[in-house]
């Protein structure tokens, strides 16, 4: 369910920040980009993406 500008404004008001309507509008426009970035960053990674459990340094 998409977030309405009014609901987003209420969420911002709860932070205690004193933002103008123009500032709230800019943040609302960036909100979908932030949500997409958050979804990519928190997606579970496959086991192959984990670092190796054993690391052997090649020291000469």
């Amino acid at each position: 369910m998409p977030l309405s500008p009014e609901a987003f404004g209420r969420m911002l008001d709860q932070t205690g920040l004193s933002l103008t309507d123009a500032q709230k509008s800019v943040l609302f426009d960036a909100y979908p980009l932030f949500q997409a970035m958050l979804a990519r960053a928190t997606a579970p990674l496959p086991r192959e993406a984990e670092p190796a459990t054993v690391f052997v340094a090649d020291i000469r």
Side-chain angles (χ1 to χ4, degrees):
M1 178 171 125
L3 188 63
S4 71
E6 294 79 20
F8 187 76
R10 284 192 299 274
M11 284 176 31
L12 289 175
D13 291 340
Q14 291 176 356
T15 65
L17 299 172
S18 56
L19 300 171
T20 65
D21 288 337
Q23 290 171 321
K24 289 179 183 180
S25 176
V26 169
L27 290 174
F28 182 72
D29 291 340
Y31 184 69
L33 300 172
F34 176 73
Q35 286 295 93
M37 183 174 50
L38 185 63
R40 284 193 308 270
T42 59
L45 296 174
R47 181 174 169 82
E48 302 84 46
E50 295 295 325
T53 56
V54 177
F55 176 75
V56 179
D58 186 28
I59 301 174
R60 296 180 185 197

